Amino acid sequence: MSESAGSQFVVEPFVGGAQMQSWVWIFALSLLVSFWQGGTMGANDVGNCYGTSVGARVLTVFQACVAATIFITLGAMTIGSEVAKTVGSGIVNYKLFENIPQLFCLGMLMASVATGCWVLFATIFAIPVSTTHSIVGSVVGFGLVEFGASGVDWWPGVGRIAISWIASPVFTGLFAIAFYITAKYWFLRPLQQRGEDYLDRALFWQRCYMTIVVFLVFLTFLLFTTFKFHKEGEWVGINLGISFGTSTTLAALWFFVLHTPINAYFEKRGLRGGFGDDDVAQKQRSARSDSDALSDASSYGIIDEAEYAMIVNGTAAADQVHHRLEASLATSMMRAPSEHGEVLPANDTWHPTLEARFQFGQLLSACYEAIAFGANDLGNAAGTLQAIFQTLELAAVTSKPTPAYWAMAYSTVGILAGLWLLGYRVMATIGRGIATMTPIRGLCAELATAFSVLIASYL
């Protein structure tokens, strides 16, 4: 590096692999920065995965973090390398850096710093942001600074990513609407209109609905995983056979065997999750009178007339009824005002027995969403580290970086560290700061988000 007459520092032209040795310090810094960047991403995006589950009181914050640790790691290490390739070489015009690979490494390092700063700022103020937007904007920025518009791969690189930015919220919304409308008019609304006599049939249709959910979750995950490693030739048929066969088997196992013990567990357990001392359910209970809550519980069949009388009269047995009422999915909670003032209308509040059956579905969809975000966030966090390492190793900027699994594992640890340290902040915003969450609402939101993120990560 030398100083020109105009007092500007420029990078000398590339003269060979030995010259790269003096730039190894960039890799040392990138190890620290990538870990920190991954931590900020983990802290922010965990809210997208499990905020609705905690907001609907299906999980506690601790349980959400444990589940996220498992399934973010699974998604990161199975299908996370595709996004890393795009971040490492598919955004800037790498050909312009052929003679100055050192500057490419420096630009990637600064992109990581910029991304980490912005995402950390957003996380401190509990603002959910797109980590993909952040890293892509940072990489585009250093390409523009060095070479202007020609320094960016506008198509298909940035153009394809920008299309996904527009398409993702649209398709996520459409998926969520489709899932919710299907359940609403298939069995939720009919039970509300026809009364308790229709409950057994509604529970059967709900089991069918959840069978479809189980099938779709495993089918899409297996398709993305198998086709990531083998996309052509004879493997196409094998991949399809494995994916459809396994998914069908698991769905049938749920329908005929597993639904009984799983539903019984969640019905007995009730809604025991939430945000601890700052539990939204506590705010909801305080916003309504005891008589309103008891009236709702009685009208929806959670307690019978005798139990209602015990509570009103303050008898000893009433404490036991109160405990069961608390553990059950009390419809009065869902109809209470949320922190932001939303009140679910009576015609959008479903039978508590049916809502309770969706607790497992919401847990499944949240874990599925964590897999999707693990794949996406790992690429965002590990992409710059992988690009710097391989550029220094090869003394050249490569158009097709090979997956560096050590970098993926290292960045995954950073993501999980951020998740445990600051993840609860954005989780609270998603779980109670946007809309009142119930298990069926959370399931539809998480399932739709997971589908969209996985599709974007694969493409």
Side-chain angles (χ1 to χ4, degrees), residues 360-375:
F360 169 73
Q362 185 174 13
L363 179 60
L364 177 67
S365 62
C367 295
Y368 181 51
E369 187 181 5
I371 291 174
F373 271 99

Side-chain angles (χ1 to χ4, degrees), residues 24 260 265 359 416:
V24 173
T260 300
Y265 167 77
Q359 291 185 72
L416 297 177

Side-chain angles (χ1 to χ4, degrees), residues 4 38 103 119 146 156 161 181 183 189 196 210 254 265 303 306 331 340-341 398 406 445 453:
S4 66
L103 192 60
V119 178
E146 181 61 23
I161 296 171
I181 291 297
R189 179 59 61 79
E196 293 292 326
M210 281 301 305
W254 160 263
Y265 167 77
I303 59 175
T331 304
H340 45 83
T398 176
W406 68 265
V453 173

Side-chain angles (χ1 to χ4, degrees), residues 277-288 336-337 339 432:
D277 294 337
D278 197 29
D279 197 337
V280 67
Q282 182 64 40
K283 289 181 169 59
Q284 292 174 330
R285 285 193 295 273
S286 64
R288 290 172 60 85
E339 187 178 76
R432 67 187 178 194

Side-chain angles (χ1 to χ4, degrees), residues 38-359:
T40 63
M41 291 180 172
N44 199 281
D45 270 357
V46 69
N48 297 318
C49 301
Y50 286 95
T52 52
S53 296
V54 180
R57 304 189 72 217
V58 174
L59 293 174
T60 64
V61 173
F62 177 79
Q63 290 169 339
C65 287
V66 171
T69 299
I70 297 171
F71 291 99
I72 284 178
T73 303
L74 178 61
M77 301 309 295
T78 53
I79 51 181
S81 61
E82 294 298 322
V83 178
K85 292 179 183 178
T86 300
V87 172
S89 65
I91 299 174
V92 296
N93 187 349
Y94 70 93
K95 294 180 180 179
L96 298 179
F97 291 90
E98 288 180 345
N99 294 324
I100 46 173
Q102 315 97 313
L103 192 60
F104 177 80
C105 294
L106 186 61
M108 282 292 179
L109 176 63
M110 292 301 101
S112 289
V113 173
T115 301
C117 288
W118 163 242
V119 178
L120 179 62
F121 172 83
T123 302
I124 290 174
F125 289 94
I127 304 172
V129 296
S130 170
T131 56
T132 303
H133 286 61
S134 304
I135 187 63
V136 171
S138 299
V139 175
V140 167
F142 92 77
L144 289 173
V145 168
E146 181 61 23
F147 294 107
S150 62
V152 179
D153 182 8
W154 296 108
W155 187 263
V158 175
R160 189 177 64 176
I161 296 171
I163 290 175
S164 73
W165 290 348
I166 299 172
S168 292
V170 173
F171 282 104
T172 299
L174 292 176
F175 284 145
I177 291 172
F179 290 132
Y180 188 74
I181 291 297
T182 299
K184 179 176 180 178
Y185 291 102
W186 187 3
F187 50 85
L188 293 173
R189 179 59 61 79
L191 175 60
Q192 188 182 64
Q193 294 173 338
R194 302 181 190 183
E196 293 292 326
D197 292 340
Y198 192 77
L199 179 59
D200 289 340
R201 177 166 295 188
L203 290 175
F204 174 79
W205 292 133
Q206 192 273 345
R207 194 205 317 176
C208 296
Y209 180 90
M210 281 301 305
T211 301
I212 297 173
V213 169
V214 171
F215 175 78
L216 290 176
V217 165
F218 285 100
L219 175 65
T220 50
F221 172 70
L222 290 171
L223 283 175
F224 286 126
T225 303
T226 55
F227 276 95
K228 172 184 177 296
F229 295 102
H230 304 286
K231 299 181 179 180
E232 300 176 354
E234 62 182 5
W235 283 101
V236 173
I238 296 175
N239 292 344
L240 292 174
I242 293 173
S243 301
F244 277 92
T246 304
S247 303
T248 301
T249 301
L250 292 173
L253 190 63
W254 160 263
F255 185 84
F256 292 106
V257 180
L258 295 180
H259 77 277
T260 300
I262 291 177
N263 285 334
Y265 167 77
F266 279 103
E267 186 173 357
K268 181 180 179 180
R269 173 182 179 269
L271 295 179
R272 297 295 183 89
F275 291 97
D277 294 337
D278 197 29
D279 197 337
V280 67
Q282 182 64 40
K283 289 181 169 59
Q284 292 174 330
R285 285 193 295 273
S286 64
R288 290 172 60 85
S289 67
D290 290 340
S291 60
D292 287 337
L294 292 175
S295 177
D296 284 344
S298 178
S299 63
Y300 276 86
I302 299 175
I303 59 175
D304 57 28
E305 293 182 1
E307 292 171 328
Y308 179 87
M310 292 177 185
I311 296 175
V312 172
N313 295 329
T315 61
D319 291 337
Q320 300 176 5
V321 179
H322 266 304
H323 179 75
R324 185 161 63 83
L325 181 62
E326 174 66 19
S328 300
L329 186 59
T331 304
S332 59
M333 286 183 178
M334 294 184 289
R335 294 181 60 184
S338 65
E339 187 178 76
H340 45 83
E342 182 190 9
V343 180
L344 291 182
N347 63 357
D348 203 31
T349 304
W350 312 117
H351 195 286
T353 303
L354 273 182
E355 276 280 11
R357 293 291 178 92
F358 282 108
Q359 291 185 72

